[in-house]
Amino acid sequence: MNPVDSFRLEGRVALVSGGGGAIGSALALALGSAGAKVAVSDIAVENLEAAAAKIRAAGIECLAVPADITKEAEAERVVAAVVEKFGHVDILVNAVGGGAGKVLFEAQEYPRDAWDWIMEINLRSTLIATQAVAKAMIKAGHGGHVVNISSVRAQLGINAGYSAYVAAKGAVSSLTRQWATEWAKYGINVNAIAPTFVDTPQVAMLLGDPKFKGDLVSRIPLGRVGGTDDLVGAVLFFASDASSFVTGQIMTIDGGLTATQ
Ligand SMILES: NC(=O)c1ccc[n+]([C@@H]2O[C@H](COP(=O)([O-])OP(=O)(O)OC[C@H]3O[C@@H](n4cnc5c(N)ncnc54)[C@H](O)[C@@H]3O)[C@@H](O)[C@H]2O)c1
């Protein structure tokens, strides 16, 4: 096979957890455009259906499964629905998460309920979805690709009340390396992307503050925040056989921000 063709995803089935979200829906459409059949899952049913409709309108086969992915039984149900519809699952993108901008507290005061919520949607969602998919991949015996969404916040502190989020994303990056190590014997590659701020509704409040945005952009060598399209190349690489000798890696997508630290 021409190595350039290894980026294509024909014959593959991709599940995007959080596929109703800003980043998840963009990545699901990209995976489908690269040839995969796509399943999207999300707790927000209206957004999920809108994302699925957009993917189908692009001529891509798409299954939408509403679920609270922090619950084991729900995750098992999602995976069973994908396997029933498409026969297998080859790619998982974990795009549930966020929330940090909604619960900004000084580190010394960070309250437990906010801490638990951020951990739940960023860390437990990734854990539970990945466990359910990994079991199916191991059973099928054909390997697979897991792509987590960490954040530059796994590497860099930020003076904006982000304690729980940095802890959750740090754990997502650590689990990426741990799963890569444990599941290499099953042919499952596990990698992550770690973006800086991506212009989505999640961070609209912070990016809407001209001083915050100005300070942020002034520290980014490429001079702008990211968009969802900026994540597509790295995710296609990690989701496809183009990355068959790459596992346990975190690709930072930050316009050069961390290069300056
Ligand atoms: N936007 C950014 O600046 C940015 C930067 C770095 C990393 N990230 C990460 O990218 C991921 C996606 O972020 P986004 O900006 O697209 O946010 P988003 O809010 O648009 O997407 C998150 C999705 O997760 C879904 N969700 C929440 N709880 C769920 C649950 N229990 N079960 C199932 N679905 C659930 C939401 O309904 C939403 O559709 C998150 O992990 C976020 O931390 C975002």
Side-chain angles (χ1 to χ4, degrees):
M1 187 177 63
N2 181 337
V4 173
D5 294 335
S6 64
F7 282 93
R8 296 294 310 173
L9 298 175
E10 275 80 11
R12 303 289 164 90
V13 176
L15 168 60
V16 179
S17 174
I23 290 175
S25 59
L27 295 179
L29 182 60
L31 292 164
S33 302
K37 291 174 183 162
V38 173
V40 282
S41 181
D42 204 289
I43 201 168
V45 179
E46 229 171 86
N47 291 349
L48 177 67
E49 290 304 340
K54 196 170 168 195
I55 292 165
R56 290 184 195 119
I60 298 157
E61 219 179 320
C62 178
L63 174 72
V65 194
D68 177 351
I69 210 70
T70 61
K71 309 241 181 329
E72 283 90 341
E74 299 258 303
E76 300 284 350
R77 180 175 58 75
V78 172
V79 173
V82 177
V83 172
E84 190 187 326
K85 168 85 176 166
F86 295 127
H88 46 103
V89 56
D90 308 297
I91 297 158
L92 169 67
V93 175
N94 280 306
V96 170
K102 291 190 185 141
V103 280
L104 300 172
F105 296 100
E106 297 266 320
Q108 69 278 15
E109 305 288 355
Y110 208 96
R112 184 164 183 166
D113 54 349
W115 178 276
D116 289 347
W117 179 62
I118 290 292
M119 284 291 173
E120 197 75 1
I121 64 167
N122 287 282
L123 181 55
R124 191 171 299 280
S125 66
T126 299
L127 171 68
I128 299 301
T130 308
Q131 285 181 317
V133 169
K135 279 190 255 180
M137 287 175 171
I138 291 166
K139 191 172 162 202
H142 301 126
H145 296 258
V146 176
V147 186
N148 294 325
I149 304 192
S150 183
S151 165
V152 291
R153 296 301 144 222
Q155 303 171 56
L156 301 179
I158 177 169
N159 190 9
Y162 264 53
S163 290
Y165 188 74
V166 302
K169 292 301 188 185
V172 167
S173 290
S174 295
L175 274 177
T176 301
R177 289 183 283 266
Q178 179 63 20
W179 290 336
T181 308
E182 286 196 38
W183 294 339
K185 59 181 174 289
Y186 301 118
I188 301 172
N189 290 18
V190 187
N191 293 287
I193 58 167
T196 184
F197 282 92
V198 181
D199 198 357
T200 70
Q202 272 285 346
V203 293
M205 202 174 74
L206 280 171
L207 293 183
D209 173 350
K211 179 166 174 0
F212 182 89
K213 186 170 178 184
D215 288 350
L216 176 70
V217 168
S218 73
R219 289 186 288 116
I220 297 177
L222 291 178
R224 62 175 178 86
V225 295
T228 55
D229 286 352
D230 290 311
L231 312 182
V232 166
V235 170
L236 285 185
F237 173 63
F238 285 145
S240 68
D241 287 344
S243 63
S244 57
F245 196 49
V246 179
T247 196
Q249 301 305 305
I250 320 291
M251 188 184 289
T252 307
I253 302 175
D254 67 352
L257 172 66
T258 49
T260 68
Q261 305 299 302

